[in-house]
Amino acid sequence: TLVFTATPCTGTPPSNALCTGAIPLTPADTCVHVSGTVEHATNVGPTDTACGNGDISDGVWYSFVANSHSCQINVVPSADFNVHLSLISGSCNAQNLLACAIGQNFGAATTLSATGLVPGSTYFVRVADWYAGVPRTSTFDICVVEVVDTECEAAAGNLVPDQANVCFTGPSTTISAI
């Protein structure tokens, strides 16, 4: 006969365990880390917009308003945390998974490079741990670094070839233009 005694987990999930509680992040030109945790977030909220094939049920949510068309989302996890990072557009009720980044190993920093963003639009980021069950360690630091849009002010114009036809005659051929 085996007798088991157990105490139910009584930890309170973090405020951002659901999309509606997403913590706002401010994109900056350098990484300004915000500390986070998935402690007690296990099995809270939907996981259908998550990345990867691990136990991603222990995720927490962040949001940011895009200032440019591109950004990098950086997550530096604690020693035994394996990052599953999801970038999502839409609303909490109508999510669209845009991109994923999955950490290469426990404790490995993970970066998601996002392009095609619409400046002024709000995006959601979901951070989860790959490890099945309760994560070995549950903390991480996250930041959003904006990649500034640059426009080339110079007009390159047109090049006019010096010759109408050029033939390849050996290991190299020179083509010149004005």
Side-chain angles (χ1 to χ4, degrees):
T1 301
L2 295 174
V3 177
F4 291 95
T5 303
T7 304
C9 297
T10 59
T12 302
S15 62
N16 60 336
L18 296 173
C19 178
T20 55
I23 294 173
L25 299 172
T26 302
D29 57 353
T30 60
C31 191
V32 179
H33 282 116
V34 172
S35 294
T37 183
V38 296
E39 181 97 20
H40 303 298
T42 303
N43 297 324
V44 176
T47 60
D48 55 335
T49 53
C51 297
N53 60 355
D55 179 12
I56 41 70
S57 63
D58 56 352
V60 290
W61 293 84
Y62 294 86
S63 65
F64 69 93
V65 176
N67 293 331
S68 64
H69 292 93
S70 302
C71 74
Q72 289 186 333
I73 303 160
N74 301 309
V75 176
V76 179
S78 51
D80 290 325
F81 189 101
N82 189 311
V83 177
H84 278 229
L85 186 58
S86 307
L87 176 64
I88 299 160
S89 66
S91 66
C92 289
N93 296 328
Q95 299 175 2
N96 180 34
L97 181 63
L98 297 177
C100 296
I102 298 174
Q104 296 300 309
N105 206 339
F106 292 101
T110 303
T111 299
L112 188 152
S113 295
T115 59
L117 303 178
V118 177
S121 294
T122 299
Y123 294 89
F124 293 96
V125 177
R126 188 170 189 275
V127 179
D129 175 68
W130 167 84
Y131 191 70
V134 177
R136 294 178 185 176
T137 60
S138 59
T139 60
F140 58 90
D141 292 324
I142 184 171
C143 71
V144 178
V145 177
E146 67 181 348
V147 178
V148 178
D149 296 330
T150 57
E151 290 186 30
C152 180
E153 298 294 331
N158 296 320
L159 294 176
V160 178
D162 291 338
Q163 297 175 322
N165 296 310
V166 176
C167 294
F168 181 70
T169 59
S172 67
T173 296
T174 301
I175 300 173
S176 62
I178 299 173

